[in-house]
C-alpha cells in the first residue's frame, strides 16, 4: 500500500483510496466522535467514485459518515457544480479535455465524466442535495467562487441559490469559504 502512495508523481484518488482500503482491511480501526469532534468525509468517500461526486457522497453515507464536505464552483452560465479546482479534466467518449470551470458553460460539459469509462458525470449542487435527501447527514459546502472582488459579489448572490436548494433536503448544512 505504501508503494501506491509513494509512487513517482502524485498518486490518483483511486490509488490512495485503494491503499487506504487495503490498510484498513488489515488494520481495522474503530472511529468514534468525541464531544467536540466530527468525522467528515472530505469531498465524500471516494474509494470507488471520484471526489465531489454523488457516488462519493453515497459511499460516505453507506460507510456511516454523518458529515460530508463538498466544493462548489460556478460555471460561465451560472450553474453551481461540484469541483475542487478551477481547472478540471473531464472525459467525453474516452478522450480527456481540460476546462476552466468559470469559463465553461455547464451545457457544454454536463455529459462529460471525471473518468475515461464514462461512469461519473460532473454533478451539480442541486443533484448532490437531491441525492442526499432523506439521509441523516450534514453537508459542509465550501464555496470556491470568491477569488476576486467580482467573484465575492457573485458568491453572495449564489448563497441565496444554495440556501434555496437546501430547503429541498432534510437535515442541516453549513456554508463556508476559505477566501
Amino acid at each position: 500500500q505504501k508503494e501506491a502512495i509513494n509512487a513517482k508523481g502524485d498518486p490518483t484518488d483511486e490509488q490512495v483510496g485503494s491503499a487506504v482500503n487495503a490498510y484498513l482491511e488489515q488494520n481495522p480501526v474503530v472511529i468514534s466522535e468525541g464531544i467536540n469532534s466530527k468525522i467528515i468525509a472530505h469531498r465524500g468517500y471516494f474509494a470507488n467514485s471520484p471526489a465531489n461526486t454523488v457516488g462519493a457522497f453515497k459511499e460516505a453515507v453507506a460507510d456511516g459518515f454523518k458529515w460530508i464536505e463538498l466544493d462548489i464552483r460556478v460555471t460561465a452560465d451560472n450553474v453551481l457544480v461540484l469541483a475542487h479546482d478551477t481547472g478540471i479534466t473531464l472525459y467525453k467518449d474516452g478522450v480527456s479535455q481540460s476546462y476552466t470551470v468559470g469559463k465553461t458553460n455547464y451545457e457544454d460539459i454536463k455529459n462529460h465524466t471525471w473518468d475515461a469509462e464514462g461512469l461519473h458525470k460532473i454533478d451539480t449542487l442541486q443533484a448532490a442535495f437531491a441525492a442526499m435527501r432523506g439521509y441523516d447527514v450534514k453537508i459542509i459546502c465550501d464555496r470556491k467562487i470568491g477569488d476576486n472582488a467580482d467573484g465575492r459579489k457573485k458568491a453572495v448572490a449564489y448563497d441565496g441559490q444554495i440556501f434555496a436548494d437546501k430547503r429541498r433536503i432534510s437535515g442541516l448544512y453549513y456554508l463556508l469559504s476559505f477566501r
Side-chain angles (χ1 to χ4, degrees):
Q1 296 76 14
K2 223 178 214 180
E3 292 78 26
I5 294 174
N6 294 327
K8 274 185 168 179
D10 292 331
T12 66
D13 291 341
E14 291 169 348
Q15 287 174 313
V16 173
S18 294
V20 169
N21 283 340
Y23 176 82
L24 290 176
E25 284 177 15
Q26 295 172 0
N27 305 284
V29 294
V30 176
I31 298 174
S32 63
E33 293 184 355
I35 293 173
N36 294 314
S37 66
K38 302 292 177 216
I39 307 299
I40 301 169
H42 183 241
R43 295 188 265 164
Y45 182 64
F46 43 96
N48 298 305
S49 300
N52 272 320
T53 61
V54 167
F57 305 148
K58 287 183 176 181
E59 284 183 57
V61 170
D63 284 348
F65 284 89
K66 299 291 184 186
W67 291 76
I68 296 171
E69 182 269 353
L70 55 80
D71 301 303
I72 306 166
R73 292 203 175 267
V74 62
T75 61
D77 53 350
N78 297 315
V79 175
L80 299 175
V81 296
L82 306 182
H84 182 269
D85 298 319
T86 301
I88 59 174
T89 300
L90 298 175
Y91 293 84
K92 176 119 183 183
D93 301 322
V95 178
S96 68
Q97 187 169 347
S98 296
Y99 298 91
T100 301
V101 177
K103 295 179 180 179
T104 304
N105 287 325
Y106 179 68
E107 281 298 314
D108 296 336
I109 59 172
K110 71 179 184 180
N111 294 316
H112 291 59
T113 60
W114 291 105
D115 57 313
E117 296 79 24
L119 301 175
H120 303 281
K121 290 185 178 182
I122 185 166
D123 289 311
T124 63
L125 178 64
Q126 187 175 15
F129 280 169
M132 294 296 98
R133 183 181 297 125
Y135 289 104
D136 180 24
V137 65
K138 292 169 182 47
I139 301 171
I140 300 171
C141 300
D142 184 358
R143 58 178 168 91
K144 298 181 174 293
I145 50 181
D147 295 336
N148 55 41
D150 184 51
R152 284 187 287 280
K153 286 179 191 171
K154 250 186 183 180
V156 172
Y158 291 115
D159 289 350
Q161 184 178 342
I162 294 166
F163 281 109
D165 285 345
K166 189 270 172 198
R167 287 186 216 122
R168 297 185 186 110
I169 65 166
S170 64
L172 180 65
Y173 88 109
Y174 298 86
L175 182 64
L176 68 91
S177 179
F178 292 107
R179 306 255 186 275

